Amino acid sequence: MYEFIFYLSSAIAVVAAGAILVVRHPVHAALYLIVSLLALALLFFLLGAPLLAALQVMLYAGAIMVLFLFMMMVMNLRTERNLPLLLPGSWGGIALLALLLWLVLLLLLSRSSLHEAGSITVIEPKEVGSALFGPYLVVVEAAAILLLAALVAALYLSRRGKR
């Protein structure tokens, strides 16, 4: 049963990631990215990493996506044809994938326990913390500096065209 949930949530993640590439409105692409990130969080949970799943939801689907939407507003991104944001058909795919992901999560939570399956190894938060702030400390700091540099560059490029 867990294999079915795993493959279904991975299919949702792949379809949502593919939809990011074909939608024309940047806000719709951001919403598909949120659905894809939530499906990845469910995959992390199924693989026995509940801390990583929680971090995926809080950091990527929460904070980073707020940052992306803020940057879209700052850069004033528009499509060529100025498509309206609230077309009834434009939200159908996002709503369908989110509903399907919600149903998969409810199906997973309705089962008794993940630890009864026996094949899932749970990674403790202490192990994740000692790995991130042990041998990979330089990589984590470099990723933080790279994200900050990308944010400053995007702000600079958005302001340069308005002068």
Side-chain angles (χ1 to χ4, degrees):
M1 184 64 189
Y2 294 119
E3 288 181 13
F4 173 73
I5 295 173
F6 179 84
Y7 287 125
L8 185 61
S9 59
S10 62
I12 292 170
V14 168
V15 168
I20 295 169
L21 302 174
V22 295
V23 295
R24 298 192 62 105
H25 206 287
V27 175
H28 294 160
L31 290 173
Y32 275 116
L33 184 59
I34 289 173
V35 170
S36 177
L37 291 172
L38 290 175
L40 283 176
L42 185 60
L43 289 175
F44 287 142
F45 185 75
L46 285 172
L47 290 174
L51 175 71
L52 198 54
L55 289 176
Q56 176 83 12
V57 170
M58 288 187 296
L59 292 178
Y60 290 107
I64 300 296
M65 287 311 300
V66 168
L67 182 67
F68 280 0
L69 291 173
F70 173 73
M71 289 306 299
M72 285 181 204
M73 288 186 285
V74 166
M75 293 174 63
N76 200 11
L77 292 178
R78 294 175 191 239
T79 56
E80 294 135 8
R81 296 187 295 157
N82 284 334
L83 296 174
L85 183 62
L86 295 175
L87 282 176
S90 63
W91 293 84
I94 301 167
L96 178 70
L97 287 177
L99 179 68
L100 190 60
L101 188 61
W102 181 253
L103 291 176
V104 167
L105 183 63
L106 287 178
L107 179 67
L108 177 67
L109 293 177
S110 69
R111 297 289 169 193
S112 58
S113 175
L114 281 176
H115 301 295
E116 290 178 5
S119 63
I120 297 175
T121 305
V122 176
I123 301 169
E124 297 295 324
K126 184 177 182 180
E127 296 173 21
V128 175
S130 64
L132 282 179
F133 296 111
Y136 300 114
L137 178 64
V138 176
V139 177
V140 171
E141 293 295 327
I145 291 172
L146 182 66
L147 286 173
L148 179 64
L151 177 65
V152 170
L155 281 172
Y156 173 74
L157 290 175
S158 70
R159 298 284 182 209
R160 189 176 73 177
K162 294 181 181 178
R163 288 183 184 169

